[in-house]
Amino acid sequence: MIRVDERGFYGKFGGAYIPEMLHPNIEELRDNYESIVASEEFQEEFQLLLRDFVGRPTPLYFASRLSEQFGAKIYLKREDLCHTGAHKVNNTIGQIILAKKLGKKRIIAETGAGQHGVATATVCALMGMDCTVYMGELDIERQRPNVERMKILGAKVVPATSGSRTLKDATNEAMRQWINNPVDTHYIIGSVVGPHPYPEMVARFQSVISEEMKWQLKEKEGRENPDLVIACVGGGSNAAGAFYHYYNTPEVRLIAAEAAGLGISSGKSAATTVLGTPGILHGSKTILMQTEDGQVVEPHSISAGLDYPGIGPVHAHLFDIGRGEFVAVEDEDAMKAGILLSRTEGIIPAIETAHAIHALNMIEYRKDDVIVINLSGRGDKDLETYIKWGGY
Protein backbone atom coordinates (compact mmCIF):
# COMPACT_ATOMS: atom_id res chain seq x y z
CA MET A 1 0.00 0.00 0.00
CA ILE A 2 1.52 3.33 -1.11
CA ARG A 3 0.61 6.12 1.27
CA VAL A 4 2.30 8.63 3.54
CA ASP A 5 2.80 7.72 7.21
CA GLU A 6 2.19 9.98 10.21
CA ARG A 7 5.78 11.31 10.05
CA GLY A 8 5.44 12.24 6.39
CA PHE A 9 7.40 9.35 4.90
CA TYR A 10 6.71 7.37 1.76
CA GLY A 11 8.86 4.35 2.53
CA LYS A 12 12.37 5.72 3.04
CA PHE A 13 11.63 9.18 1.65
CA GLY A 14 9.96 12.30 3.03
CA GLY A 15 9.88 13.69 6.55
CA ALA A 16 10.61 17.22 7.74
CA TYR A 17 14.31 18.14 7.90
CA ILE A 18 14.04 21.79 8.80
CA PRO A 19 15.85 24.45 10.86
CA GLU A 20 14.48 25.07 14.33
CA MET A 21 13.06 28.44 13.31
CA LEU A 22 10.70 26.76 10.83
CA HIS A 23 9.23 24.29 13.32
CA PRO A 24 6.36 26.58 14.46
CA ASN A 25 5.26 27.13 10.83
CA ILE A 26 5.37 23.45 9.95
CA GLU A 27 3.73 22.33 13.19
CA GLU A 28 0.90 24.81 12.69
CA LEU A 29 0.28 23.39 9.23
CA ARG A 30 0.62 19.76 10.32
CA ASP A 31 -1.70 20.24 13.30
CA ASN A 32 -4.46 22.02 11.39
CA TYR A 33 -4.47 21.22 7.70
CA GLU A 34 -6.09 17.76 7.90
CA SER A 35 -9.10 18.95 9.90
CA ILE A 36 -9.49 22.14 7.82
CA VAL A 37 -9.32 20.32 4.47
CA ALA A 38 -11.73 17.62 5.66
CA SER A 39 -14.32 20.17 6.80
CA GLU A 40 -17.53 20.60 4.83
CA GLU A 41 -16.98 24.38 4.69
CA PHE A 42 -13.54 23.99 3.07
CA GLN A 43 -14.71 21.38 0.58
CA GLU A 44 -17.69 23.44 -0.52
CA GLU A 45 -15.51 26.48 -1.25
CA PHE A 46 -12.75 24.38 -2.86
CA GLN A 47 -15.10 22.46 -5.16
CA LEU A 48 -17.01 25.59 -6.14
CA LEU A 49 -13.82 27.43 -7.12
CA LEU A 50 -12.47 24.41 -9.00
CA ARG A 51 -15.67 24.34 -11.03
CA ASP A 52 -16.48 28.01 -11.58
CA PHE A 53 -13.04 29.66 -11.39
CA VAL A 54 -10.57 27.00 -12.57
CA GLY A 55 -12.94 25.44 -15.12
CA ARG A 56 -13.00 21.83 -13.91
CA PRO A 57 -13.52 19.12 -14.91
CA THR A 58 -10.88 19.42 -17.62
CA PRO A 59 -11.58 17.32 -20.75
CA LEU A 60 -10.11 13.89 -21.38
CA TYR A 61 -9.47 14.22 -25.10
CA PHE A 62 -8.99 11.27 -27.47
CA ALA A 63 -6.02 12.22 -29.66
CA SER A 64 -6.97 10.30 -32.79
CA ARG A 65 -4.11 11.34 -35.07
CA LEU A 66 -1.49 10.84 -32.35
CA SER A 67 -3.07 7.47 -31.59
CA GLU A 68 -2.85 6.44 -35.23
CA GLN A 69 0.81 7.42 -35.35
CA PHE A 70 1.81 5.46 -32.23
CA GLY A 71 -0.56 2.51 -32.57
CA ALA A 72 -2.32 2.93 -29.21
CA LYS A 73 -5.42 4.66 -27.86
CA ILE A 74 -3.97 7.91 -26.54
CA TYR A 75 -5.97 10.29 -24.38
CA LEU A 76 -4.77 13.71 -23.25
CA LYS A 77 -5.88 14.98 -19.84
CA ARG A 78 -6.26 18.66 -20.70
CA GLU A 79 -4.84 20.44 -17.64
CA ASP A 80 -3.60 23.06 -20.10
CA LEU A 81 -7.22 24.25 -20.26
CA CYS A 82 -7.30 25.17 -16.57
CA HIS A 83 -7.53 28.89 -15.80
CA THR A 84 -3.92 30.23 -15.84
CA GLY A 85 -2.84 27.54 -18.33
CA ALA A 86 -1.66 24.64 -16.17
CA HIS A 87 -2.49 22.23 -13.36
CA LYS A 88 -0.77 24.46 -10.79
CA VAL A 89 -3.96 26.35 -9.93
CA ASN A 90 -5.57 23.20 -8.44
CA ASN A 91 -3.04 23.39 -5.61
CA THR A 92 -2.98 27.17 -5.17
CA ILE A 93 -6.77 27.26 -4.78
CA GLY A 94 -6.54 24.68 -1.99
CA GLN A 95 -3.65 26.39 -0.24
CA ILE A 96 -5.07 29.92 -0.41
CA ILE A 97 -8.29 28.76 1.28
CA LEU A 98 -6.18 26.98 3.90
CA ALA A 99 -4.03 30.10 4.46
CA LYS A 100 -7.14 32.24 4.87
CA LYS A 101 -8.56 29.85 7.49
CA LEU A 102 -5.20 29.91 9.33
CA GLY A 103 -5.46 33.71 9.52
CA LYS A 104 -2.51 34.45 7.22
CA LYS A 105 -2.28 37.85 5.53
CA ARG A 106 0.67 37.38 3.18
CA ILE A 107 1.64 34.72 0.63
CA ILE A 108 5.07 33.79 -0.72
CA ALA A 109 5.87 31.26 -3.42
CA GLU A 110 8.66 29.99 -5.64
CA THR A 111 8.34 29.34 -9.35
CA GLY A 112 10.40 27.87 -12.18
CA ALA A 113 8.40 27.93 -15.41
CA GLY A 114 6.30 30.70 -13.92
CA GLN A 115 3.02 28.75 -14.01
CA HIS A 116 2.95 28.25 -10.24
CA GLY A 117 3.84 31.90 -9.78
CA VAL A 118 0.97 32.96 -12.04
CA ALA A 119 -1.41 30.55 -10.27
CA THR A 120 -0.35 31.93 -6.88
CA ALA A 121 -0.64 35.55 -8.00
CA THR A 122 -4.08 34.72 -9.42
CA VAL A 123 -5.51 33.27 -6.20
CA CYS A 124 -3.95 36.08 -4.14
CA ALA A 125 -5.75 38.61 -6.35
CA LEU A 126 -8.93 36.56 -5.94
CA MET A 127 -8.64 36.61 -2.14
CA GLY A 128 -7.10 40.08 -1.74
CA MET A 129 -3.83 38.87 -0.21
CA ASP A 130 -0.32 40.26 -0.55
CA CYS A 131 1.84 38.12 -2.85
CA THR A 132 5.61 37.81 -3.38
CA VAL A 133 7.00 35.27 -5.86
CA TYR A 134 10.67 34.22 -5.95
CA MET A 135 11.97 33.24 -9.37
CA GLY A 136 15.41 32.41 -10.67
CA GLU A 137 17.02 35.21 -12.68
CA LEU A 138 17.58 32.83 -15.62
CA ASP A 139 13.94 31.71 -15.51
CA ILE A 140 12.78 35.33 -15.47
CA GLU A 141 14.64 35.80 -18.77
CA ARG A 142 13.25 32.68 -20.47
CA GLN A 143 9.67 32.90 -19.12
CA ARG A 144 9.06 36.61 -19.59
CA PRO A 145 5.31 36.34 -20.45
CA ASN A 146 4.58 34.70 -17.11
CA VAL A 147 6.61 37.32 -15.25
CA GLU A 148 4.48 40.05 -16.84
CA ARG A 149 1.28 38.16 -15.96
CA MET A 150 2.32 37.96 -12.30
CA LYS A 151 3.02 41.69 -12.20
CA ILE A 152 -0.32 42.53 -13.82
CA LEU A 153 -2.02 40.39 -11.18
CA GLY A 154 -0.35 42.48 -8.47
CA ALA A 155 2.45 40.16 -7.35
CA LYS A 156 5.97 41.28 -6.54
CA VAL A 157 8.49 39.14 -8.46
CA VAL A 158 11.86 38.85 -6.71
CA PRO A 159 14.81 37.43 -8.71
CA ALA A 160 17.01 34.72 -7.18
CA THR A 161 20.54 35.57 -8.28
CA SER A 162 22.56 32.81 -6.59
CA GLY A 163 23.64 29.38 -7.88
CA SER A 164 22.17 28.41 -11.23
CA ARG A 165 19.54 31.19 -10.87
CA THR A 166 16.72 28.67 -11.43
CA LEU A 167 14.01 26.87 -9.44
CA LYS A 168 16.27 25.44 -6.73
CA ASP A 169 17.58 28.91 -5.91
CA ALA A 170 14.10 30.46 -5.95
CA THR A 171 13.00 27.81 -3.44
CA ASN A 172 15.98 28.63 -1.22
CA GLU A 173 15.05 32.32 -1.23
CA ALA A 174 11.38 31.63 -0.46
CA MET A 175 12.29 29.39 2.48
CA ARG A 176 14.64 32.05 3.88
CA GLN A 177 11.88 34.61 3.65
CA TRP A 178 9.43 32.30 5.42
CA ILE A 179 11.85 31.79 8.31
CA ASN A 180 12.04 35.58 8.73
CA ASN A 181 8.23 36.07 8.62
CA PRO A 182 6.70 33.06 10.37
CA VAL A 183 3.58 34.55 11.93
CA ASP A 184 1.60 36.26 9.16
CA THR A 185 2.99 34.46 6.09
CA HIS A 186 2.00 31.23 4.35
CA TYR A 187 4.39 29.65 1.85
CA ILE A 188 2.51 28.06 -1.06
CA ILE A 189 4.95 25.42 -2.29
CA GLY A 190 4.16 24.55 -5.89
CA SER A 191 5.23 20.93 -6.11
CA VAL A 192 5.27 17.70 -4.10
CA VAL A 193 8.53 18.74 -2.43
CA GLY A 194 9.52 20.33 0.87
CA PRO A 195 8.93 19.26 4.47
CA HIS A 196 5.90 17.26 5.57
CA PRO A 197 2.97 17.95 5.19
CA TYR A 198 3.63 19.75 1.87
CA PRO A 199 4.30 16.76 -0.44
CA GLU A 200 1.16 14.94 0.68
CA MET A 201 -0.93 18.13 0.80
CA VAL A 202 0.01 19.22 -2.72
CA ALA A 203 -0.58 15.68 -4.05
CA ARG A 204 -4.02 15.66 -2.41
CA PHE A 205 -5.02 18.95 -4.02
CA GLN A 206 -3.75 17.70 -7.40
CA SER A 207 -5.48 14.30 -7.04
CA VAL A 208 -8.54 15.81 -8.69
CA ILE A 209 -6.71 15.03 -11.97
CA SER A 210 -6.80 11.24 -11.60
CA GLU A 211 -10.17 11.38 -9.82
CA GLU A 212 -11.66 12.88 -12.99
CA MET A 213 -9.69 10.54 -15.25
CA LYS A 214 -11.37 7.53 -13.67
CA TRP A 215 -14.95 8.54 -14.39
CA GLN A 216 -14.04 10.05 -17.76
CA LEU A 217 -12.42 6.78 -18.86
CA LYS A 218 -15.50 4.91 -17.59
CA GLU A 219 -17.62 7.05 -19.92
CA LYS A 220 -15.30 6.69 -22.92
CA GLU A 221 -13.86 3.19 -22.55
CA GLY A 222 -16.25 1.46 -20.17
CA ARG A 223 -13.49 1.07 -17.57
CA GLU A 224 -11.88 3.31 -14.94
CA ASN A 225 -8.29 2.17 -15.40
CA PRO A 226 -6.01 2.93 -18.35
CA ASP A 227 -3.09 0.65 -19.18
CA LEU A 228 -0.54 3.47 -18.79
CA VAL A 229 -0.45 6.97 -17.31
CA ILE A 230 2.40 9.21 -18.49
CA ALA A 231 3.44 12.53 -16.92
CA CYS A 232 6.54 14.70 -16.81
CA VAL A 233 8.39 14.97 -13.49
CA GLY A 234 10.50 17.79 -12.12
CA GLY A 235 9.40 18.08 -8.52
CA GLY A 236 6.39 16.17 -9.77
CA SER A 237 3.04 17.73 -8.78
CA ASN A 238 1.26 17.07 -12.06
CA ALA A 239 2.51 13.48 -12.04
CA ALA A 240 1.45 13.02 -8.41
CA GLY A 241 -2.04 14.20 -9.33
CA ALA A 242 -2.24 11.96 -12.40
CA PHE A 243 -0.88 8.91 -10.53
CA TYR A 244 -2.67 9.47 -7.19
CA HIS A 245 -5.71 7.22 -7.62
CA TYR A 246 -3.63 4.55 -9.36
CA TYR A 247 -0.76 4.20 -6.84
CA ASN A 248 -2.23 0.97 -5.51
CA THR A 249 -3.53 -0.37 -8.84
CA PRO A 250 -0.50 -2.34 -10.09
CA GLU A 251 -2.06 -3.17 -13.46
CA VAL A 252 -1.81 0.54 -14.37
CA ARG A 253 1.75 1.40 -15.40
CA LEU A 254 2.98 4.78 -14.13
CA ILE A 255 5.50 6.40 -16.49
CA ALA A 256 7.48 9.45 -15.33
CA ALA A 257 9.41 11.51 -17.90
CA GLU A 258 12.40 13.37 -16.46
CA ALA A 259 14.58 15.94 -18.21
CA ALA A 260 17.88 14.56 -19.52
CA GLY A 261 18.87 18.01 -20.76
CA LEU A 262 21.85 17.81 -23.13
CA GLY A 263 22.35 14.13 -22.26
CA ILE A 264 22.81 11.97 -19.19
CA SER A 265 26.60 12.18 -19.25
CA SER A 266 26.83 15.77 -20.50
CA GLY A 267 26.99 17.45 -17.09
CA LYS A 268 23.94 19.44 -18.23
CA SER A 269 21.02 17.27 -17.13
CA ALA A 270 18.17 17.00 -14.62
CA ALA A 271 17.71 13.21 -14.79
CA THR A 272 17.45 12.74 -11.05
CA THR A 273 16.75 9.01 -10.87
CA VAL A 274 19.69 8.24 -13.16
CA LEU A 275 22.22 10.63 -11.65
CA GLY A 276 20.91 11.08 -8.11
CA THR A 277 21.39 9.47 -4.71
CA PRO A 278 19.36 9.73 -1.46
CA GLY A 279 19.85 12.97 0.43
CA ILE A 280 18.12 16.00 1.93
CA LEU A 281 16.77 18.76 -0.29
CA HIS A 282 14.46 21.60 0.72
CA GLY A 283 13.31 19.94 3.91
CA SER A 284 12.72 16.32 2.91
CA LYS A 285 14.70 13.17 2.23
CA THR A 286 14.53 12.27 -1.43
CA ILE A 287 16.67 11.39 -4.44
CA LEU A 288 18.74 14.32 -5.68
CA MET A 289 21.75 15.09 -7.81
CA GLN A 290 24.67 15.77 -5.47
CA THR A 291 28.42 15.46 -5.15
CA GLU A 292 30.07 12.87 -2.89
CA ASP A 293 30.21 15.42 -0.07
CA GLY A 294 26.51 16.30 -0.43
CA GLN A 295 26.70 19.52 -2.46
CA VAL A 296 23.77 19.91 -4.85
CA VAL A 297 24.72 19.52 -8.53
CA GLU A 298 23.25 22.25 -10.73
CA PRO A 299 20.58 20.81 -13.04
CA HIS A 300 19.86 21.73 -16.64
CA SER A 301 16.75 21.47 -18.78
CA ILE A 302 15.42 23.52 -21.65
CA SER A 303 12.14 23.50 -19.69
CA ALA A 304 12.22 25.76 -16.65
CA GLY A 305 9.69 23.61 -14.77
CA LEU A 306 11.87 20.46 -14.93
CA ASP A 307 15.12 22.29 -14.16
CA TYR A 308 15.31 20.94 -10.59
CA PRO A 309 17.98 18.70 -9.00
CA GLY A 310 15.58 16.37 -7.16
CA ILE A 311 12.14 14.79 -7.22
CA GLY A 312 9.35 14.74 -4.66
CA PRO A 313 9.63 11.99 -2.03
CA VAL A 314 6.57 10.16 -3.33
CA HIS A 315 8.28 9.81 -6.73
CA ALA A 316 11.53 8.74 -5.06
CA HIS A 317 9.51 6.00 -3.34
CA LEU A 318 7.79 4.94 -6.58
CA PHE A 319 11.20 4.68 -8.23
CA ASP A 320 12.77 2.90 -5.26
CA ILE A 321 10.16 0.13 -5.16
CA GLY A 322 9.85 -0.16 -8.94
CA ARG A 323 6.23 1.04 -9.04
CA GLY A 324 7.10 3.95 -11.31
CA GLU A 325 8.97 3.62 -14.63
CA PHE A 326 11.28 6.58 -15.20
CA VAL A 327 12.63 7.68 -18.57
CA ALA A 328 15.05 10.54 -19.26
CA VAL A 329 14.17 12.77 -22.24
CA GLU A 330 16.75 15.04 -23.86
CA ASP A 331 16.04 18.67 -24.76
CA GLU A 332 16.09 18.05 -28.51
CA ASP A 333 13.65 15.14 -28.33
CA ALA A 334 11.27 17.10 -26.10
CA MET A 335 11.23 20.01 -28.53
CA LYS A 336 10.51 17.68 -31.46
CA ALA A 337 7.68 16.07 -29.49
CA GLY A 338 6.19 19.49 -28.75
CA ILE A 339 6.14 20.31 -32.46
CA LEU A 340 4.72 16.85 -33.24
CA LEU A 341 1.75 17.38 -30.92
CA SER A 342 1.24 20.90 -32.25
CA ARG A 343 1.04 19.68 -35.84
CA THR A 344 -0.79 16.42 -35.17
CA GLU A 345 -3.49 17.58 -32.75
CA GLY A 346 -3.39 21.39 -32.94
CA ILE A 347 -2.24 21.67 -29.32
CA ILE A 348 1.00 23.50 -28.48
CA PRO A 349 2.14 21.97 -25.18
CA ALA A 350 4.38 23.41 -22.51
CA ILE A 351 7.92 22.12 -23.05
CA GLU A 352 7.62 20.29 -19.72
CA THR A 353 4.64 18.36 -21.10
CA ALA A 354 6.49 17.68 -24.36
CA HIS A 355 8.86 15.43 -22.39
CA ALA A 356 5.88 13.21 -21.55
CA ILE A 357 4.86 13.06 -25.22
CA HIS A 358 8.33 11.85 -26.24
CA ALA A 359 8.17 9.10 -23.59
CA LEU A 360 5.93 7.24 -26.08
CA ASN A 361 9.10 6.61 -28.11
CA MET A 362 10.98 5.19 -25.12
CA ILE A 363 8.61 2.61 -23.68
CA GLU A 364 6.98 -0.59 -24.87
CA TYR A 365 3.23 -0.99 -24.99
CA ARG A 366 0.70 -3.17 -26.75
CA LYS A 367 -1.34 -2.18 -29.76
CA ASP A 368 -4.60 -0.60 -28.60
CA ASP A 369 -3.39 -0.07 -25.03
CA VAL A 370 -5.27 2.82 -23.44
CA ILE A 371 -2.70 5.49 -22.55
CA VAL A 372 -3.43 8.74 -20.72
CA ILE A 373 -0.84 11.52 -20.99
CA ASN A 374 -1.26 14.34 -18.49
CA LEU A 375 -1.06 17.51 -20.57
CA SER A 376 0.13 19.57 -17.62
CA GLY A 377 0.35 23.00 -19.28
CA ARG A 378 0.07 24.92 -22.50
CA GLY A 379 2.92 26.31 -24.53
CA ASP A 380 2.09 30.02 -24.58
CA LYS A 381 4.89 30.71 -22.10
CA ASP A 382 7.39 28.79 -24.26
CA LEU A 383 6.72 30.32 -27.67
CA GLU A 384 10.01 32.24 -27.67
CA THR A 385 11.96 29.03 -26.93
CA TYR A 386 10.07 27.13 -29.64
CA ILE A 387 10.71 29.92 -32.15
CA LYS A 388 14.40 30.20 -31.28
CA TRP A 389 14.86 26.41 -31.40
CA GLY A 390 12.99 25.85 -34.67
CA GLY A 391 13.86 29.06 -36.49
CA TYR A 392 10.19 29.80 -37.16
Side-chain angles (χ1 to χ4, degrees), residues 234-284:
S237 63
N238 94 90
F243 295 167
Y244 194 92
H245 288 285
Y246 299 113
Y247 284 153
N248 298 302
T249 310
E251 59 268 29
V252 179
R253 292 169 60 194
L254 306 179
I255 314 294
E258 293 186 300
L262 301 182
I264 295 294
S265 57
S266 67
K268 295 282 187 179
S269 180
T272 300
T273 58
V274 181
L275 300 170
T277 53
I280 309 297
L281 180 64
H282 294 141
S284 69

Side-chain angles (χ1 to χ4, degrees), residues 2-5 8-14 199-200 203 247 313-314 317:
I2 296 171
R3 62 184 177 198
V4 70
D5 69 18
F9 279 86
Y10 299 88
K12 297 183 290 193
F13 300 101
E200 195 274 332
Y247 284 153
V314 65
H317 180 54

Side-chain angles (χ1 to χ4, degrees), residues 53 83-84 89 92-93 96 115-128 131 149-150 153-155:
F53 188 72
H83 178 45
T84 73
V89 71
T92 60
I93 288 285
I96 198 77
Q115 285 301 141
H116 175 59
V118 170
T120 301
T122 297
V123 297
C124 286
L126 176 69
M127 297 293 183
C131 180
R149 290 168 77 193
M150 285 182 263
L153 288 160

Side-chain angles (χ1 to χ4, degrees), residues 304-317:
L306 303 185
D307 200 347
Y308 188 68
I311 52 177
V314 65
H315 297 303
H317 180 54

Side-chain angles (χ1 to χ4, degrees), residues 64 124 136 182 210 229 299 315:
S64 59
C124 286
S210 51
V229 179
H315 297 303

